[in-house]
Amino acid sequence: VAFAACSGQMDVVKYLVEHGADLTVQDAEKNNILHLLCQAPASAEEAKAKAEMILFVLDLASSDDQKILLGTKNVYSWTPLKMAAYQGAVEPFKVLVDFKRSTHWNYGPVTSCVYSLNELDTFNDSTSVLDLVIQSPSQKRYKLVQTAPISQLLTEKWRDFVRFYFFIWAVLYIMMLAILTCVVCYRPTDLSLCQVPGNSTAGNQSV
């Protein structure tokens, strides 16, 4: 079933699930079907196809299986969401984040949603999504920073924890440069003015 999903065969996946296939099985590295679908896509079309397949698989799964699929960790302690973040799979990442969000209300094109930070910015977790995005070798990691809720999370962190200290250190740095510039520009050019009286020695004195 995982092979059929990764190759984009929705009808085969549906047939296998209807005939008892288990969507929660894992491979030797404890990756489930969502982990495999979150591998780095080769093109934009493949990324879109994998995102659609993720939604299709989650729709086929029961509510209990959905929790298992989304919460399963592989040998690196990565959930499918973290795998997508590290691999730079933007479309699968968006699908997983949006699937896990809680919608409060909708009014026309406006939607109020709440995102869980359990995997996005977990305290004392070296494998949180933010850490994995920074460590990711993918060139598409910059697009992940621009997605919701990562962009909002970084904005809040900047405003609450970084901005004040950044400006303090910036002011201190500018003051240091100004002082060094004044010292260099106004240093004495006549070296005789730097000599201290009584602190000179004669060259040929005998005892």
Side-chain angles (χ1 to χ4, degrees), residues 140-175:
K140 296 181 180 179
R141 60 181 180 177
Y142 305 107
K143 294 183 179 180
L144 287 174
V145 176
Q146 301 172 0
T147 61
I150 299 298
S151 58
Q152 292 90 334
L153 179 60
L154 292 177
T155 300
E156 293 291 333
K157 282 180 170 290
W158 162 261
R159 185 181 61 190
D160 295 339
F161 304 109
V162 181
R163 182 173 58 181
F164 174 77
Y165 296 101
F166 175 82
F167 286 117
I168 290 296
W169 283 106
V171 170
L172 292 175
Y173 181 72
I174 293 173
M175 291 176 60

PDB file of all heavy atoms in Angstrom, residues 140-175:
ATOM      1  N   LYS A 140      14.709  24.525  -0.421  1.00  0.00           N
ATOM      2  CA  LYS A 140      13.328  24.973  -0.278  1.00  0.00           C
ATOM      3  C   LYS A 140      12.947  25.299   1.161  1.00  0.00           C
ATOM      4  O   LYS A 140      11.805  25.624   1.446  1.00  0.00           O
ATOM      5  CB  LYS A 140      12.380  23.902  -0.826  1.00  0.00           C
ATOM      6  CG  LYS A 140      12.541  23.652  -2.310  1.00  0.00           C
ATOM      7  CD  LYS A 140      11.562  22.604  -2.796  1.00  0.00           C
ATOM      8  CE  LYS A 140      11.735  22.346  -4.291  1.00  0.00           C
ATOM      9  NZ  LYS A 140      10.801  21.299  -4.788  1.00  0.00           N
ATOM     10  N   ARG A 141      13.904  25.192   2.071  1.00  0.00           N
ATOM     11  CA  ARG A 141      13.599  25.469   3.479  1.00  0.00           C
ATOM     12  C   ARG A 141      13.186  26.920   3.684  1.00  0.00           C
ATOM     13  O   ARG A 141      12.457  27.244   4.616  1.00  0.00           O
ATOM     14  CB  ARG A 141      14.797  25.144   4.357  1.00  0.00           C
ATOM     15  CG  ARG A 141      16.051  25.927   4.025  1.00  0.00           C
ATOM     16  CD  ARG A 141      17.198  25.531   4.915  1.00  0.00           C
ATOM     17  NE  ARG A 141      18.407  26.279   4.593  1.00  0.00           N
ATOM     18  CZ  ARG A 141      19.544  26.168   5.248  1.00  0.00           C
ATOM     19  NH1 ARG A 141      19.620  25.318   6.265  1.00  0.00           N
ATOM     20  NH2 ARG A 141      20.592  26.866   4.901  1.00  0.00           N
ATOM     21  N   TYR A 142      13.651  27.817   2.795  1.00  0.00           N
ATOM     22  CA  TYR A 142      13.280  29.221   2.930  1.00  0.00           C
ATOM     23  C   TYR A 142      11.793  29.432   2.650  1.00  0.00           C
ATOM     24  O   TYR A 142      11.178  30.341   3.200  1.00  0.00           O
ATOM     25  CB  TYR A 142      14.130  30.069   1.986  1.00  0.00           C
ATOM     26  CG  TYR A 142      15.617  29.866   2.190  1.00  0.00           C
ATOM     27  CD1 TYR A 142      16.383  29.156   1.269  1.00  0.00           C
ATOM     28  CD2 TYR A 142      16.255  30.356   3.326  1.00  0.00           C
ATOM     29  CE1 TYR A 142      17.743  28.950   1.465  1.00  0.00           C
ATOM     30  CE2 TYR A 142      17.614  30.147   3.534  1.00  0.00           C
ATOM     31  CZ  TYR A 142      18.345  29.451   2.592  1.00  0.00           C
ATOM     32  OH  TYR A 142      19.677  29.240   2.801  1.00  0.00           O
ATOM     33  N   LYS A 143      11.226  28.570   1.800  1.00  0.00           N
ATOM     34  CA  LYS A 143       9.787  28.660   1.541  1.00  0.00           C
ATOM     35  C   LYS A 143       8.986  28.190   2.757  1.00  0.00           C
ATOM     36  O   LYS A 143       7.881  28.678   2.997  1.00  0.00           O
ATOM     37  CB  LYS A 143       9.424  27.832   0.316  1.00  0.00           C
ATOM     38  CG  LYS A 143      10.014  28.362  -0.985  1.00  0.00           C
ATOM     39  CD  LYS A 143       9.551  27.536  -2.175  1.00  0.00           C
ATOM     40  CE  LYS A 143      10.131  28.089  -3.466  1.00  0.00           C
ATOM     41  NZ  LYS A 143       9.694  27.296  -4.652  1.00  0.00           N
ATOM     42  N   LEU A 144       9.551  27.241   3.507  1.00  0.00           N
ATOM     43  CA  LEU A 144       8.858  26.771   4.709  1.00  0.00           C
ATOM     44  C   LEU A 144       8.736  27.884   5.740  1.00  0.00           C
ATOM     45  O   LEU A 144       7.744  27.970   6.465  1.00  0.00           O
ATOM     46  CB  LEU A 144       9.611  25.583   5.317  1.00  0.00           C
ATOM     47  CG  LEU A 144       9.505  24.249   4.577  1.00  0.00           C
ATOM     48  CD1 LEU A 144      10.421  23.226   5.215  1.00  0.00           C
ATOM     49  CD2 LEU A 144       8.072  23.753   4.582  1.00  0.00           C
ATOM     50  N   VAL A 145       9.762  28.746   5.822  1.00  0.00           N
ATOM     51  CA  VAL A 145       9.729  29.847   6.791  1.00  0.00           C
ATOM     52  C   VAL A 145       8.600  30.810   6.480  1.00  0.00           C
ATOM     53  O   VAL A 145       8.069  31.477   7.378  1.00  0.00           O
ATOM     54  CB  VAL A 145      11.096  30.573   6.791  1.00  0.00           C
ATOM     55  CG1 VAL A 145      11.075  31.776   7.715  1.00  0.00           C
ATOM     56  CG2 VAL A 145      12.198  29.625   7.214  1.00  0.00           C
ATOM     57  N   GLN A 146       8.191  30.879   5.225  1.00  0.00           N
ATOM     58  CA  GLN A 146       7.152  31.813   4.812  1.00  0.00           C
ATOM     59  C   GLN A 146       5.741  31.245   4.957  1.00  0.00           C
ATOM     60  O   GLN A 146       4.768  31.954   4.737  1.00  0.00           O
ATOM     61  CB  GLN A 146       7.388  32.238   3.354  1.00  0.00           C
ATOM     62  CG  GLN A 146       8.733  32.902   3.125  1.00  0.00           C
ATOM     63  CD  GLN A 146       9.028  33.150   1.667  1.00  0.00           C
ATOM     64  OE1 GLN A 146       8.217  32.826   0.794  1.00  0.00           O
ATOM     65  NE2 GLN A 146      10.191  33.711   1.377  1.00  0.00           N
ATOM     66  N   THR A 147       5.635  29.964   5.312  1.00  0.00           N
ATOM     67  CA  THR A 147       4.324  29.343   5.431  1.00  0.00           C
ATOM     68  C   THR A 147       3.737  29.581   6.819  1.00  0.00           C
ATOM     69  O   THR A 147       4.454  29.836   7.781  1.00  0.00           O
ATOM     70  CB  THR A 147       4.414  27.831   5.169  1.00  0.00           C
ATOM     71  OG1 THR A 147       5.277  27.233   6.155  1.00  0.00           O
ATOM     72  CG2 THR A 147       4.961  27.552   3.794  1.00  0.00           C
ATOM     73  N   ALA A 148       2.413  29.499   6.888  1.00  0.00           N
ATOM     74  CA  ALA A 148       1.733  29.576   8.183  1.00  0.00           C
ATOM     75  C   ALA A 148       1.781  28.194   8.828  1.00  0.00           C
ATOM     76  O   ALA A 148       1.655  27.177   8.133  1.00  0.00           O
ATOM     77  CB  ALA A 148       0.288  30.016   7.986  1.00  0.00           C
ATOM     78  N   PRO A 149       1.970  28.121  10.144  1.00  0.00           N
ATOM     79  CA  PRO A 149       2.128  29.230  11.104  1.00  0.00           C
ATOM     80  C   PRO A 149       3.579  29.574  11.420  1.00  0.00           C
ATOM     81  O   PRO A 149       3.830  30.270  12.384  1.00  0.00           O
ATOM     82  CB  PRO A 149       1.438  28.675  12.332  1.00  0.00           C
ATOM     83  CG  PRO A 149       1.785  27.211  12.299  1.00  0.00           C
ATOM     84  CD  PRO A 149       1.846  26.820  10.840  1.00  0.00           C
ATOM     85  N   ILE A 150       4.542  29.062  10.616  1.00  0.00           N
ATOM     86  CA  ILE A 150       5.956  29.312  10.909  1.00  0.00           C
ATOM     87  C   ILE A 150       6.264  30.802  10.865  1.00  0.00           C
ATOM     88  O   ILE A 150       6.967  31.337  11.730  1.00  0.00           O
ATOM     89  CB  ILE A 150       6.852  28.551   9.928  1.00  0.00           C
ATOM     90  CG1 ILE A 150       6.607  27.033  10.040  1.00  0.00           C
ATOM     91  CG2 ILE A 150       8.314  28.853  10.210  1.00  0.00           C
ATOM     92  CD1 ILE A 150       6.928  26.465  11.382  1.00  0.00           C
ATOM     93  N   SER A 151       5.740  31.492   9.852  1.00  0.00           N
ATOM     94  CA  SER A 151       6.019  32.927   9.725  1.00  0.00           C
ATOM     95  C   SER A 151       5.467  33.703  10.915  1.00  0.00           C
ATOM     96  O   SER A 151       6.138  34.588  11.462  1.00  0.00           O
ATOM     97  CB  SER A 151       5.420  33.464   8.423  1.00  0.00           C
ATOM     98  OG  SER A 151       4.021  33.232   8.380  1.00  0.00           O
ATOM     99  N   GLN A 152       4.249  33.370  11.355  1.00  0.00           N
ATOM    100  CA  GLN A 152       3.677  34.050  12.519  1.00  0.00           C
ATOM    101  C   GLN A 152       4.459  33.729  13.788  1.00  0.00           C
ATOM    102  O   GLN A 152       4.658  34.603  14.637  1.00  0.00           O
ATOM    103  CB  GLN A 152       2.205  33.650  12.699  1.00  0.00           C
ATOM    104  CG  GLN A 152       1.275  34.162  11.616  1.00  0.00           C
ATOM    105  CD  GLN A 152       1.147  33.195  10.466  1.00  0.00           C
ATOM    106  OE1 GLN A 152       2.052  32.395  10.210  1.00  0.00           O
ATOM    107  NE2 GLN A 152       0.033  33.255   9.759  1.00  0.00           N
ATOM    108  N   LEU A 153       4.906  32.485  13.902  1.00  0.00           N
ATOM    109  CA  LEU A 153       5.664  32.084  15.085  1.00  0.00           C
ATOM    110  C   LEU A 153       6.982  32.835  15.176  1.00  0.00           C
ATOM    111  O   LEU A 153       7.362  33.328  16.250  1.00  0.00           O
ATOM    112  CB  LEU A 153       5.908  30.579  15.054  1.00  0.00           C
ATOM    113  CG  LEU A 153       6.713  29.981  16.209  1.00  0.00           C
ATOM    114  CD1 LEU A 153       6.017  30.232  17.531  1.00  0.00           C
ATOM    115  CD2 LEU A 153       6.921  28.480  15.989  1.00  0.00           C
ATOM    116  N   LEU A 154       7.684  32.968  14.061  1.00  0.00           N
ATOM    117  CA  LEU A 154       8.940  33.698  14.054  1.00  0.00           C
ATOM    118  C   LEU A 154       8.730  35.182  14.326  1.00  0.00           C
ATOM    119  O   LEU A 154       9.551  35.823  14.994  1.00  0.00           O
ATOM    120  CB  LEU A 154       9.645  33.502  12.708  1.00  0.00           C
ATOM    121  CG  LEU A 154      10.160  32.087  12.426  1.00  0.00           C
ATOM    122  CD1 LEU A 154      10.758  32.007  11.035  1.00  0.00           C
ATOM    123  CD2 LEU A 154      11.175  31.669  13.473  1.00  0.00           C
ATOM    124  N   THR A 155       7.627  35.725  13.826  1.00  0.00           N
ATOM    125  CA  THR A 155       7.312  37.136  14.094  1.00  0.00           C
ATOM    126  C   THR A 155       7.076  37.364  15.582  1.00  0.00           C
ATOM    127  O   THR A 155       7.555  38.356  16.160  1.00  0.00           O
ATOM    128  CB  THR A 155       6.072  37.567  13.292  1.00  0.00           C
ATOM    129  OG1 THR A 155       6.337  37.396  11.894  1.00  0.00           O
ATOM    130  CG2 THR A 155       5.731  39.027  13.557  1.00  0.00           C
ATOM    131  N   GLU A 156       6.337  36.468  16.212  1.00  0.00           N
ATOM    132  CA  GLU A 156       6.085  36.585  17.652  1.00  0.00           C
ATOM    133  C   GLU A 156       7.378  36.443  18.450  1.00  0.00           C
ATOM    134  O   GLU A 156       7.598  37.170  19.430  1.00  0.00           O
ATOM    135  CB  GLU A 156       5.076  35.523  18.093  1.00  0.00           C
ATOM    136  CG  GLU A 156       3.672  35.703  17.529  1.00  0.00           C
ATOM    137  CD  GLU A 156       2.977  36.920  18.110  1.00  0.00           C
ATOM    138  OE1 GLU A 156       3.311  37.304  19.252  1.00  0.00           O
ATOM    139  OE2 GLU A 156       2.106  37.484  17.440  1.00  0.00           O
ATOM    140  N   LYS A 157       8.232  35.514  18.045  1.00  0.00           N
ATOM    141  CA  LYS A 157       9.509  35.345  18.747  1.00  0.00           C
ATOM    142  C   LYS A 157      10.378  36.592  18.615  1.00  0.00           C
ATOM    143  O   LYS A 157      11.032  37.016  19.577  1.00  0.00           O
ATOM    144  CB  LYS A 157      10.253  34.125  18.196  1.00  0.00           C
ATOM    145  CG  LYS A 157       9.741  32.793  18.706  1.00  0.00           C
ATOM    146  CD  LYS A 157      10.535  31.663  18.096  1.00  0.00           C
ATOM    147  CE  LYS A 157      10.199  30.349  18.773  1.00  0.00           C
ATOM    148  NZ  LYS A 157      10.714  30.283  20.150  1.00  0.00           N
ATOM    149  N   TRP A 158      10.423  37.170  17.428  1.00  0.00           N
ATOM    150  CA  TRP A 158      11.194  38.390  17.220  1.00  0.00           C
ATOM    151  C   TRP A 158      10.674  39.526  18.104  1.00  0.00           C
ATOM    152  O   TRP A 158      11.447  40.232  18.740  1.00  0.00           O
ATOM    153  CB  TRP A 158      11.139  38.789  15.749  1.00  0.00           C
ATOM    154  CG  TRP A 158      11.528  40.208  15.491  1.00  0.00           C
ATOM    155  CD1 TRP A 158      10.700  41.272  15.296  1.00  0.00           C
ATOM    156  CD2 TRP A 158      12.865  40.741  15.437  1.00  0.00           C
ATOM    157  NE1 TRP A 158      11.415  42.427  15.103  1.00  0.00           N
ATOM    158  CE2 TRP A 158      12.750  42.136  15.192  1.00  0.00           C
ATOM    159  CE3 TRP A 158      14.128  40.180  15.563  1.00  0.00           C
ATOM    160  CZ2 TRP A 158      13.855  42.958  15.073  1.00  0.00           C
ATOM    161  CZ3 TRP A 158      15.234  41.007  15.444  1.00  0.00           C
ATOM    162  CH2 TRP A 158      15.095  42.371  15.197  1.00  0.00           C
ATOM    163  N   ARG A 159       9.383  39.679  18.151  1.00  0.00           N
ATOM    164  CA  ARG A 159       8.790  40.787  18.886  1.00  0.00           C
ATOM    165  C   ARG A 159       8.937  40.615  20.395  1.00  0.00           C
ATOM    166  O   ARG A 159       9.213  41.584  21.110  1.00  0.00           O
ATOM    167  CB  ARG A 159       7.303  40.922  18.521  1.00  0.00           C
ATOM    168  CG  ARG A 159       6.612  42.133  19.137  1.00  0.00           C
ATOM    169  CD  ARG A 159       5.162  42.166  18.730  1.00  0.00           C
ATOM    170  NE  ARG A 159       4.456  40.971  19.198  1.00  0.00           N
ATOM    171  CZ  ARG A 159       3.220  40.649  18.819  1.00  0.00           C
ATOM    172  NH1 ARG A 159       2.593  41.404  17.939  1.00  0.00           N
ATOM    173  NH2 ARG A 159       2.645  39.566  19.296  1.00  0.00           N
ATOM    174  N   ASP A 160       8.792  39.400  20.889  1.00  0.00           N
ATOM    175  CA  ASP A 160       8.772  39.187  22.337  1.00  0.00           C
ATOM    176  C   ASP A 160      10.142  38.894  22.945  1.00  0.00           C
ATOM    177  O   ASP A 160      10.381  39.209  24.109  1.00  0.00           O
ATOM    178  CB  ASP A 160       7.827  38.027  22.679  1.00  0.00           C
ATOM    179  CG  ASP A 160       6.380  38.346  22.340  1.00  0.00           C
ATOM    180  OD1 ASP A 160       6.051  39.546  22.233  1.00  0.00           O
ATOM    181  OD2 ASP A 160       5.590  37.398  22.167  1.00  0.00           O
ATOM    182  N   PHE A 161      11.062  38.291  22.191  1.00  0.00           N
ATOM    183  CA  PHE A 161      12.310  37.826  22.789  1.00  0.00           C
ATOM    184  C   PHE A 161      13.576  38.404  22.163  1.00  0.00           C
ATOM    185  O   PHE A 161      14.623  38.408  22.801  1.00  0.00           O
ATOM    186  CB  PHE A 161      12.396  36.294  22.713  1.00  0.00           C
ATOM    187  CG  PHE A 161      11.242  35.589  23.352  1.00  0.00           C
ATOM    188  CD1 PHE A 161      10.301  34.927  22.574  1.00  0.00           C
ATOM    189  CD2 PHE A 161      11.063  35.593  24.724  1.00  0.00           C
ATOM    190  CE1 PHE A 161       9.225  34.272  23.146  1.00  0.00           C
ATOM    191  CE2 PHE A 161       9.998  34.951  25.305  1.00  0.00           C
ATOM    192  CZ  PHE A 161       9.071  34.288  24.525  1.00  0.00           C
ATOM    193  N   VAL A 162      13.507  38.862  20.942  1.00  0.00           N
ATOM    194  CA  VAL A 162      14.737  39.218  20.221  1.00  0.00           C
ATOM    195  C   VAL A 162      14.872  40.710  19.981  1.00  0.00           C
ATOM    196  O   VAL A 162      15.967  41.266  20.126  1.00  0.00           O
ATOM    197  CB  VAL A 162      14.794  38.464  18.870  1.00  0.00           C
ATOM    198  CG1 VAL A 162      16.068  38.811  18.119  1.00  0.00           C
ATOM    199  CG2 VAL A 162      14.681  36.965  19.088  1.00  0.00           C
ATOM    200  N   ARG A 163      13.791  41.377  19.630  1.00  0.00           N
ATOM    201  CA  ARG A 163      13.873  42.760  19.156  1.00  0.00           C
ATOM    202  C   ARG A 163      14.540  43.689  20.146  1.00  0.00           C
ATOM    203  O   ARG A 163      15.417  44.487  19.779  1.00  0.00           O
ATOM    204  CB  ARG A 163      12.460  43.274  18.817  1.00  0.00           C
ATOM    205  CG  ARG A 163      12.429  44.682  18.263  1.00  0.00           C
ATOM    206  CD  ARG A 163      11.034  45.044  17.788  1.00  0.00           C
ATOM    207  NE  ARG A 163      10.061  44.916  18.863  1.00  0.00           N
ATOM    208  CZ  ARG A 163       8.761  45.156  18.695  1.00  0.00           C
ATOM    209  NH1 ARG A 163       8.297  45.504  17.501  1.00  0.00           N
ATOM    210  NH2 ARG A 163       7.924  45.027  19.702  1.00  0.00           N
ATOM    211  N   PHE A 164      14.178  43.617  21.427  1.00  0.00           N
ATOM    212  CA  PHE A 164      14.733  44.514  22.442  1.00  0.00           C
ATOM    213  C   PHE A 164      16.248  44.350  22.550  1.00  0.00           C
ATOM    214  O   PHE A 164      17.010  45.325  22.505  1.00  0.00           O
ATOM    215  CB  PHE A 164      14.059  44.244  23.788  1.00  0.00           C
ATOM    216  CG  PHE A 164      14.662  45.018  24.930  1.00  0.00           C
ATOM    217  CD1 PHE A 164      14.378  46.361  25.107  1.00  0.00           C
ATOM    218  CD2 PHE A 164      15.535  44.395  25.818  1.00  0.00           C
ATOM    219  CE1 PHE A 164      14.941  47.071  26.149  1.00  0.00           C
ATOM    220  CE2 PHE A 164      16.097  45.094  26.871  1.00  0.00           C
ATOM    221  CZ  PHE A 164      15.796  46.434  27.033  1.00  0.00           C
ATOM    222  N   TYR A 165      16.701  43.090  22.665  1.00  0.00           N
ATOM    223  CA  TYR A 165      18.137  42.835  22.820  1.00  0.00           C
ATOM    224  C   TYR A 165      18.901  43.180  21.544  1.00  0.00           C
ATOM    225  O   TYR A 165      20.052  43.617  21.602  1.00  0.00           O
ATOM    226  CB  TYR A 165      18.367  41.380  23.207  1.00  0.00           C
ATOM    227  CG  TYR A 165      17.771  41.030  24.556  1.00  0.00           C
ATOM    228  CD1 TYR A 165      16.563  40.351  24.647  1.00  0.00           C
ATOM    229  CD2 TYR A 165      18.405  41.400  25.740  1.00  0.00           C
ATOM    230  CE1 TYR A 165      16.008  40.042  25.881  1.00  0.00           C
ATOM    231  CE2 TYR A 165      17.868  41.088  26.961  1.00  0.00           C
ATOM    232  CZ  TYR A 165      16.665  40.414  27.031  1.00  0.00           C
ATOM    233  OH  TYR A 165      16.121  40.114  28.247  1.00  0.00           O
ATOM    234  N   PHE A 166      18.262  42.977  20.398  1.00  0.00           N
ATOM    235  CA  PHE A 166      18.918  43.314  19.139  1.00  0.00           C
ATOM    236  C   PHE A 166      19.227  44.805  19.070  1.00  0.00           C
ATOM    237  O   PHE A 166      20.348  45.208  18.717  1.00  0.00           O
ATOM    238  CB  PHE A 166      18.033  42.914  17.961  1.00  0.00           C
ATOM    239  CG  PHE A 166      18.575  43.329  16.623  1.00  0.00           C
ATOM    240  CD1 PHE A 166      19.543  42.577  15.987  1.00  0.00           C
ATOM    241  CD2 PHE A 166      18.119  44.491  16.011  1.00  0.00           C
ATOM    242  CE1 PHE A 166      20.054  42.967  14.756  1.00  0.00           C
ATOM    243  CE2 PHE A 166      18.625  44.886  14.780  1.00  0.00           C
ATOM    244  CZ  PHE A 166      19.589  44.118  14.149  1.00  0.00           C
ATOM    245  N   PHE A 167      18.260  45.648  19.422  1.00  0.00           N
ATOM    246  CA  PHE A 167      18.479  47.084  19.353  1.00  0.00           C
ATOM    247  C   PHE A 167      19.463  47.555  20.426  1.00  0.00           C
ATOM    248  O   PHE A 167      20.256  48.472  20.192  1.00  0.00           O
ATOM    249  CB  PHE A 167      17.149  47.833  19.483  1.00  0.00           C
ATOM    250  CG  PHE A 167      16.301  47.757  18.244  1.00  0.00           C
ATOM    251  CD1 PHE A 167      15.065  47.141  18.265  1.00  0.00           C
ATOM    252  CD2 PHE A 167      16.754  48.292  17.052  1.00  0.00           C
ATOM    253  CE1 PHE A 167      14.289  47.066  17.122  1.00  0.00           C
ATOM    254  CE2 PHE A 167      15.986  48.220  15.901  1.00  0.00           C
ATOM    255  CZ  PHE A 167      14.745  47.606  15.942  1.00  0.00           C
ATOM    256  N   ILE A 168      19.436  46.922  21.607  1.00  0.00           N
ATOM    257  CA  ILE A 168      20.403  47.279  22.647  1.00  0.00           C
ATOM    258  C   ILE A 168      21.827  46.992  22.167  1.00  0.00           C
ATOM    259  O   ILE A 168      22.731  47.848  22.273  1.00  0.00           O
ATOM    260  CB  ILE A 168      20.106  46.505  23.945  1.00  0.00           C
ATOM    261  CG1 ILE A 168      18.811  47.012  24.585  1.00  0.00           C
ATOM    262  CG2 ILE A 168      21.273  46.646  24.929  1.00  0.00           C
ATOM    263  CD1 ILE A 168      18.869  48.454  25.053  1.00  0.00           C
ATOM    264  N   TRP A 169      22.050  45.804  21.639  1.00  0.00           N
ATOM    265  CA  TRP A 169      23.384  45.452  21.156  1.00  0.00           C
ATOM    266  C   TRP A 169      23.774  46.287  19.939  1.00  0.00           C
ATOM    267  O   TRP A 169      24.957  46.610  19.755  1.00  0.00           O
ATOM    268  CB  TRP A 169      23.444  43.971  20.808  1.00  0.00           C
ATOM    269  CG  TRP A 169      23.563  43.094  22.026  1.00  0.00           C
ATOM    270  CD1 TRP A 169      22.594  42.312  22.585  1.00  0.00           C
ATOM    271  CD2 TRP A 169      24.721  42.933  22.847  1.00  0.00           C
ATOM    272  NE1 TRP A 169      23.064  41.675  23.702  1.00  0.00           N
ATOM    273  CE2 TRP A 169      24.372  42.032  23.889  1.00  0.00           C
ATOM    274  CE3 TRP A 169      26.007  43.453  22.815  1.00  0.00           C
ATOM    275  CZ2 TRP A 169      25.278  41.644  24.869  1.00  0.00           C
ATOM    276  CZ3 TRP A 169      26.915  43.061  23.792  1.00  0.00           C
ATOM    277  CH2 TRP A 169      26.537  42.172  24.801  1.00  0.00           C
ATOM    278  N   ALA A 170      22.809  46.649  19.109  1.00  0.00           N
ATOM    279  CA  ALA A 170      23.108  47.498  17.956  1.00  0.00           C
ATOM    280  C   ALA A 170      23.574  48.882  18.400  1.00  0.00           C
ATOM    281  O   ALA A 170      24.542  49.431  17.857  1.00  0.00           O
ATOM    282  CB  ALA A 170      21.871  47.613  17.052  1.00  0.00           C
ATOM    283  N   VAL A 171      22.901  49.452  19.420  1.00  0.00           N
ATOM    284  CA  VAL A 171      23.292  50.770  19.934  1.00  0.00           C
ATOM    285  C   VAL A 171      24.683  50.705  20.564  1.00  0.00           C
ATOM    286  O   VAL A 171      25.528  51.582  20.345  1.00  0.00           O
ATOM    287  CB  VAL A 171      22.250  51.278  20.950  1.00  0.00           C
ATOM    288  CG1 VAL A 171      22.763  52.518  21.683  1.00  0.00           C
ATOM    289  CG2 VAL A 171      20.940  51.600  20.243  1.00  0.00           C
ATOM    290  N   LEU A 172      24.947  49.652  21.343  1.00  0.00           N
ATOM    291  CA  LEU A 172      26.264  49.505  21.965  1.00  0.00           C
ATOM    292  C   LEU A 172      27.359  49.327  20.917  1.00  0.00           C
ATOM    293  O   LEU A 172      28.468  49.874  21.053  1.00  0.00           O
ATOM    294  CB  LEU A 172      26.259  48.301  22.914  1.00  0.00           C
ATOM    295  CG  LEU A 172      25.390  48.440  24.178  1.00  0.00           C
ATOM    296  CD1 LEU A 172      25.389  47.146  24.964  1.00  0.00           C
ATOM    297  CD2 LEU A 172      25.873  49.598  25.037  1.00  0.00           C
ATOM    298  N   TYR A 173      27.063  48.621  19.870  1.00  0.00           N
ATOM    299  CA  TYR A 173      28.047  48.410  18.803  1.00  0.00           C
ATOM    300  C   TYR A 173      28.355  49.727  18.090  1.00  0.00           C
ATOM    301  O   TYR A 173      29.518  50.039  17.800  1.00  0.00           O
ATOM    302  CB  TYR A 173      27.514  47.382  17.819  1.00  0.00           C
ATOM    303  CG  TYR A 173      28.460  47.066  16.682  1.00  0.00           C
ATOM    304  CD1 TYR A 173      29.623  46.331  16.895  1.00  0.00           C
ATOM    305  CD2 TYR A 173      28.180  47.503  15.388  1.00  0.00           C
ATOM    306  CE1 TYR A 173      30.494  46.049  15.860  1.00  0.00           C
ATOM    307  CE2 TYR A 173      29.055  47.227  14.345  1.00  0.00           C
ATOM    308  CZ  TYR A 173      30.200  46.496  14.580  1.00  0.00           C
ATOM    309  OH  TYR A 173      31.058  46.218  13.550  1.00  0.00           O
ATOM    310  N   ILE A 174      27.316  50.517  17.819  1.00  0.00           N
ATOM    311  CA  ILE A 174      27.519  51.812  17.160  1.00  0.00           C
ATOM    312  C   ILE A 174      28.318  52.749  18.066  1.00  0.00           C
ATOM    313  O   ILE A 174      29.205  53.481  17.598  1.00  0.00           O
ATOM    314  CB  ILE A 174      26.155  52.432  16.782  1.00  0.00           C
ATOM    315  CG1 ILE A 174      25.480  51.590  15.691  1.00  0.00           C
ATOM    316  CG2 ILE A 174      26.328  53.879  16.300  1.00  0.00           C
ATOM    317  CD1 ILE A 174      24.068  52.014  15.370  1.00  0.00           C
ATOM    318  N   MET A 175      28.036  52.732  19.371  1.00  0.00           N
ATOM    319  CA  MET A 175      28.798  53.558  20.305  1.00  0.00           C
ATOM    320  C   MET A 175      30.267  53.138  20.328  1.00  0.00           C
ATOM    321  O   MET A 175      31.164  54.001  20.371  1.00  0.00           O
ATOM    322  CB  MET A 175      28.192  53.453  21.703  1.00  0.00           C
ATOM    323  CG  MET A 175      26.825  54.110  21.845  1.00  0.00           C
ATOM    324  SD  MET A 175      26.097  53.860  23.486  1.00  0.00           S
ATOM    325  CE  MET A 175      27.350  54.629  24.515  1.00  0.00           C
TER     326      MET A 175
END
